[in-house]
């Protein structure tokens, strides 16, 4: 992939993406590659806004991101993960690089998904993220997953869409606290704000997550909040909204395993 102002994917990039999706196998999660913040940023193009958080880079404050990217390229070149793809007209200096297909494929897929479902999870260990990029190929739905740690490591894998709910359940409920589902309780926005400090299922949660979904061609972003353990797993939803799309009423519901696995489909706009 070249360092260029406009995102352009050539035939080799498209083929790499197809090869990546073809690695998905029924009932399995297949690891593809692990990249760091600075590797993802330089390969995607420093001039492009990142789709996902880059926590390690952000923690460096005012450090030169271009320099970090060039150092990352040197490291990848030494491992033959990237190779020079061109020089300027005078022959001085590399102006483009070509990545290994195992890297190019995931980077193309994260920019071309039909639907994206994400989780931002905060716990005593910090903040971590999970992004699922859903692709439809030959009447099959395959997911490219990007799990991002607070240390800035991006772990890419692929699997059939049938495993998406299970993957989200494990991420949302790290202590396996989801045991049963109950009826939802309704709160006005004011009543919920007043009750938050006294609701143990919210204030004592060990992991708090925001699940969001968006579909290509839609400007609608749907999201729910998940509070996990030690009092079970509870989902907070906005149920009625004002003209500015701000929730005016909420529902709070304890969910079991099945309810957690259904959340990715719930937040993808129809």
């Amino acid at each position: 992939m070249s360092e260029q102002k406009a995102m352009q994917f050539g035939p080799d990039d498209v083929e790499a993406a197809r090869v990546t999706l073809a690695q998905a196998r029924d009932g399995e999660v297949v690891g593809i590659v692990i990249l760091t913040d600075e590797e993802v940023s330089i390969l995607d193009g420093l001039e492009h806004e990142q789709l996902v958080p880059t926590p390690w880079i952000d923690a460096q404050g005012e450090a030169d991101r271009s320099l970090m990217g060039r150092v990352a390229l040197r490291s990848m070149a030494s491992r033959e993960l990237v190779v020079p793809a061109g020089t300027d007209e005078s022959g001085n200096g590399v102006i483009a690089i070509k990545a290994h297909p195992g890297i190019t494929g995931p980077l193309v897929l994260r920019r071309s998904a039909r639907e994206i479902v994400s989780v931002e999870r905060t716990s005593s260990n910090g903040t971590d993220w999970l992004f699922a990029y859903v692709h439809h190929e030959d009447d099959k739905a395959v997911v490219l997953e990007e799990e991002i740690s607070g240390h800035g490591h991006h772990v890419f894998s692929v699997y059939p869409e049938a495993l998406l709910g299970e993957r989200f359940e494990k991420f949302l409920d790290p202590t396996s606290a989801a045991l049963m589902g109950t009826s939802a309780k309704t709160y006005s926005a004011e009543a919920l704000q007043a009750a938050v400090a006294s609701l143990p299922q919210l204030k004592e949660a060990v992991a708090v997550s925001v699940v969001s979904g968006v579909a290509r061609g839609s400007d609608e972003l749907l999201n729910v909040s998940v509070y996990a353990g030690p009092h079970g797993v509870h989902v907070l939803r906005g149920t009625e909204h004002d003209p500015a799309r701000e929730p005016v009423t909420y529902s709070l519901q304890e969910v079991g395993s099945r309810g957690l696995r259904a959340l990715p489909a719930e937040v993808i706009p129809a």
Side-chain angles (χ1 to χ4, degrees), residues 5-255:
K5 292 186 179 299
M7 289 296 264
Q8 297 180 8
F9 300 130
D12 289 346
D13 299 324
V14 174
E15 180 60 23
R18 288 175 175 162
V19 169
T20 299
L21 292 178
Q23 294 183 60
R25 295 192 290 270
D26 289 344
E28 294 186 40
V29 177
V30 178
I32 302 299
V33 68
I34 301 175
L35 300 173
T36 63
D37 279 355
E38 59 274 30
E39 290 170 343
V40 167
S41 296
I42 192 67
L43 289 168
D44 217 20
L46 294 175
E47 69 276 19
H48 299 131
E49 182 179 356
Q50 270 301 306
L51 296 171
V52 301
T54 52
W56 185 85
I57 286 181
D58 294 343
Q60 308 314 306
E62 299 301 319
D64 187 337
R65 296 193 174 210
S66 177
L67 175 60
M68 287 189 283
R70 292 197 298 273
V71 172
L73 276 183
R74 279 176 50 84
S75 174
M76 288 187 287
S78 71
R79 291 175 283 153
E80 299 184 341
L81 296 177
V82 300
V83 295
T87 58
D88 62 21
E89 293 180 357
S90 64
N92 296 319
V94 174
I95 62 170
I97 52 91
K98 183 176 179 64
H100 185 282
I103 294 175
T104 303
L107 295 180
V108 172
L109 291 171
R110 69 208 287 267
R111 291 279 183 182
S112 56
R114 182 180 296 185
E115 298 104 17
I116 302 176
V117 187
S118 66
V119 181
E120 180 179 276
R121 183 189 69 199
T122 302
S123 68
S124 60
N125 294 323
T127 302
D128 302 283
W129 298 264
L130 188 71
F131 285 79
Y133 309 94
V134 184
H135 291 263
H136 298 263
E137 288 279 326
D138 301 325
D139 298 323
K140 295 189 302 183
V142 178
V143 175
L144 172 77
E145 180 184 284
E146 180 178 4
E147 183 172 352
I148 308 167
S149 74
H151 300 294
H153 292 96
H154 301 241
V155 181
F156 292 91
S157 55
V158 293
Y159 49 82
E161 188 184 30
L163 295 181
L164 180 58
E166 178 182 332
R167 296 290 290 177
F168 268 62
E169 177 188 12
K170 291 179 179 178
F171 194 80
L172 293 166
D173 184 19
T175 61
S176 300
L179 299 176
M180 60 181 295
T182 62
S183 299
K185 295 181 179 180
T186 302
Y187 297 84
S188 68
E190 296 80 7
L192 179 68
Q193 185 175 8
V196 164
S198 61
L199 290 173
Q201 57 266 50
L202 301 186
K203 71 175 185 176
E204 296 177 15
V206 299
V208 179
S209 303
V210 177
V211 184
S212 304
V214 65
R216 187 169 58 199
S218 172
D219 58 3
E220 183 178 14
L221 178 67
L222 302 179
N223 59 72
V224 300
S225 298
V226 179
Y227 296 78
H231 302 280
V233 177
H234 294 76
V235 177
L236 182 67
R237 300 175 173 92
T239 52
E240 293 183 69
H241 300 77
D242 62 21
R245 299 300 299 161
E246 292 296 323
V248 293
T249 62
Y250 292 85
S251 70
L252 182 64
Q253 181 180 22
E254 184 174 0
V255 297

